[in-house]
Amino acid sequence: MPTARDEVLARIRLALRSPAPASTAPASTGPATTGPATTGPATTGPATTGPASTGPASTGPDTASPRDGDADGVPRGYRTQGDLDTQLLLELLAERLRDYGCAVRRTVPGEVMTAVGEALGRRGARRIVVPPGLDLIGLPAGTEIVADDGLSPAALDAVDGVITGAAVAIAETGTIVLDGSPDQGRRALSLVPDYHVCIVRAEQVVALVPEAMARLTPERPLTWISGPSATSDIELDRVQGVHGPRTLEVILVEPGPEPHPNS
């Protein structure tokens, strides 16, 4: 019966389209047989019914023959598109984010600044870094917007938090991806401050990782965020904020009409 090692190697060979190696069973080291040749009748039993190769049979969507894959022959039978509607996608994303320990505030386009203000007020955050491409009009009175003009790590560490947009969010994994666009700023903004407020809009939410990859540009500085920064030592003591924000709060903007400019 094929072992896990056989299965892994078979899949690698399939991906590389290289032929399986010859049998590696060691040759017999015992003495040659010196008895008389067998004179009995030929064996008439059934042929062996075990597997002819060491690779696994096709048992799932992630296993396929080369002709089922792309032009390079690599099988791609995994899911590439989800089938959830927008509301279910948002529900799933919110559930996954909360599982990671994120705070999630759901709102509509006309109430985004109200939700942001409530988040900042509950946190007691006053000095906030905002990327140059994120237009936030109507922050609570007393909030100081700190422009990122190349702030040093020490300066970023001294502010109360940062507000950014997002490039895409993945519902199934509860992951938010930043790509350095003007509404997100450079990577340090989301890694140094202890508090990160991220605004995610409904049209940015996809179900699966392949859908997110199709929207992203690999050459951009991608930051994948699945909850607040956290790590565990050898004794499994979980510590947050070691290599990123200790607190992540997501403003999840539901579908709805954008507010009128004069309203």
Side-chain angles (χ1 to χ4, degrees), residues 19-112:
S23 174
T24 56
S28 173
T29 57
T33 303
T34 56
T38 302
T39 57
T43 302
T44 59
T48 302
T49 58
S53 68
T54 58
S58 177
T59 57
D62 58 343
T63 309
S65 64
R67 65 177 178 274
D68 296 324
D70 286 352
D72 55 10
V74 178
R76 289 180 170 85
Y78 48 76
R79 293 180 299 155
T80 58
Q81 189 170 9
D83 56 4
L84 297 178
D85 62 29
T86 300
Q87 285 301 326
L88 290 177
L89 271 181
L90 299 182
E91 291 286 349
L92 180 59
L93 176 62
E95 176 187 339
R96 293 288 193 267
L97 289 169
R98 292 189 179 107
D99 284 345
Y100 286 133
C102 297
V104 179
R105 294 178 181 270
R106 301 182 68 168
T107 188
V108 294
E111 301 294 332
V112 172

Side-chain angles (χ1 to χ4, degrees), residues 1 15 39 78 134 152 175 206 222 226 232:
M1 182 174 182
T39 57
Y78 48 76
L134 186 62
S152 68
T175 303
V206 299
L222 303 178
S226 296
S232 297

Side-chain angles (χ1 to χ4, degrees), residues 144-164:
E144 177 188 352
I145 295 180
V146 180
D148 178 32
D149 54 0
L151 295 171
S152 68
L156 287 173
D157 187 51
V159 300
D160 294 330
V162 60
I163 303 174
T164 74

Side-chain angles (χ1 to χ4, degrees), residues 102-128:
C102 297
V104 179
R105 294 178 181 270
R106 301 182 68 168
T107 188
V108 294
E111 301 294 332
V112 172
M113 294 313 303
T114 300
V116 170
E118 291 173 351
L120 297 180
R122 184 177 182 84
R123 173 78 177 187
R126 294 290 181 265
R127 298 185 67 245
I128 302 296

Side-chain angles (χ1 to χ4, degrees), residues 93 97 102 164-170 173-178 196 198-200 223-227 248-251:
L93 176 62
L97 289 169
C102 297
T164 74
V168 67
I170 308 168
T173 62
T175 303
I176 297 169
V177 187
L178 311 184
H196 180 193
C198 187
I199 300 173
V200 178
T223 304
W224 297 64
I225 304 170
S226 296
L248 174 64
E249 190 153 3
V250 176
I251 308 297

